[in-house]
Amino acid sequence: MFPVICSSLLIGLPAATQIYSLQYIQMEKKKETITESAGRQQKKKIERQEEKLKNNNRDLSMVRMKSMFAIGFCFTALMGMFNSIFDGRVVAKLPFTPLSYIQGLSHRNLLGDDTTDCSFIFLYILCTMSIRQNIQKILGLAPSRAATKQAGGFLGPPPPSGKFS
Amino acid sequence: MSGGRRKEEPPQPQLANGALKVSVWSKVLRSDAAWEDKDEFLDVIYWFRQIIAVVLGVIWGVLPLRGFLGIAGFCLINAGVLYLYFSNYLQIDEEEYGGTWELTKEGFMTSFALFMVCIADSYTLGHLDHFLHCHPL
């Protein structure tokens, strides 16, 4: 239920990301066809496209921020609810012993020394990472790859904006 | 390496942002299929990884395959099967998609999380008697 609710909170996102993705792809294609000897006009066109792209990127970030706030609020509320129900209870057994720095999460507030006991928080985080992502993709609400690349993805900084700027 | 024997196909409609239409799956097992839309192909790789994660998670949990051998086995099989699929079977030019690494990491973390969920659930369900004996409700 929680992933479905969160996915529906991203409903404002697809239109914005579609526009952004199309612009990004068009710009990349134009850059590929441009040569060293291309005139000033072509370069100015590219710069204007990049400017449009930056504006759309800004709008996209605003839409995403609202969705992220709503999702964060839901996440916190549901976490509190599950905490009251499952805190201190073993919800699953793991067929392996997690690494020591993960045991703080997987064995949180559990009695005993059996580190294969799994607390709800560990399973909850794994479900958020897996099931929510997949439901977003199935419903078509996941941000496009172009938008994710421009935002820098999960690990890296944003890529440079273009060779003509 | 790429596309010499590929047929021209009419563009296939695709749902927005990662969902795939049924018609895309008809191309998946055809080694001579043309993949004009890069995102479409990356989505196919993504969903293949999720399917492998669910299948291996359930099997590993039921067997059960304990310890990090199971996790290492999943990583190798996940990466290896998809590599063989796009490199040997489809003979895709990896450089068109940003290299082998980009194709390998497409959907990998999500599939790993899904694998962990499936293996924990199937292992718990498979050993429910013992589990309830040790942790009565």
Side-chain angles (χ1 to χ4, degrees), chain A residues 14 17-18 89-97 99 117 123 126-127 129-130 133-134 137-138 140 142 144-145, chain B residues 16-19 39 42-43 46-47 50 65-68 71 106 110 113-114 116-117 119-120 123-124 131 135 137:
Chain A
T17 56
Q18 282 296 308
R89 301 178 89 163
V90 177
V91 299
K93 280 292 260 184
L94 301 171
F96 58 90
T97 304
L99 298 171
D117 288 341
L123 206 55
L126 289 175
C127 287
M129 284 171 65
S130 57
Q133 294 264 68
N134 287 330
K137 271 216 175 252
I138 289 169
S144 67
R145 287 186 181 84
Chain B
N17 299 345
D39 273 353
L42 289 173
D43 287 337
Y46 177 92
W47 287 113
Q50 309 315 307
L65 203 57
R66 291 191 180 90
F68 279 98
I71 296 175
E106 179 66 31
T110 309
L114 189 58
M116 296 286 274
V117 169
I119 198 174
Y123 182 70
T124 305
F131 177 59
H135 302 281
L137 293 170

Side-chain angles (χ1 to χ4, degrees), chain B residues 10-89:
Chain B
Q12 302 277 355
Q14 184 188 356
L15 296 173
N17 299 345
L20 293 173
K21 285 205 88 154
V22 175
S23 54
V24 175
W25 291 104
S26 61
K27 286 206 293 187
V28 161
L29 294 176
R30 287 170 42 204
S31 58
D32 58 347
W35 298 92
E36 294 94 7
D37 187 352
K38 288 180 186 170
D39 273 353
E40 189 179 77
F41 179 69
L42 289 173
D43 287 337
V44 166
I45 296 288
Y46 177 92
W47 287 113
F48 259 143
R49 283 201 202 284
Q50 309 315 307
I51 292 168
I52 289 173
V54 171
V55 168
L56 288 183
V58 169
I59 292 173
W60 268 213
V62 165
L63 275 175
L65 203 57
R66 291 191 180 90
F68 279 98
L69 184 65
I71 296 175
F74 163 76
C75 295
L76 284 171
I77 292 174
N78 195 331
V81 166
L82 268 297
Y83 177 79
L84 289 173
Y85 172 69
F86 63 70
S87 176
N88 287 7
Y89 184 70

Side-chain angles (χ1 to χ4, degrees), chain A residues 49-60:
Chain A
Q49 286 276 43
E50 281 185 354
E51 195 58 43
K52 262 191 199 171
L53 196 65
K54 279 182 197 164
N55 290 335
N56 275 341
N57 191 19
R58 202 173 41 238
D59 295 339
L60 186 67

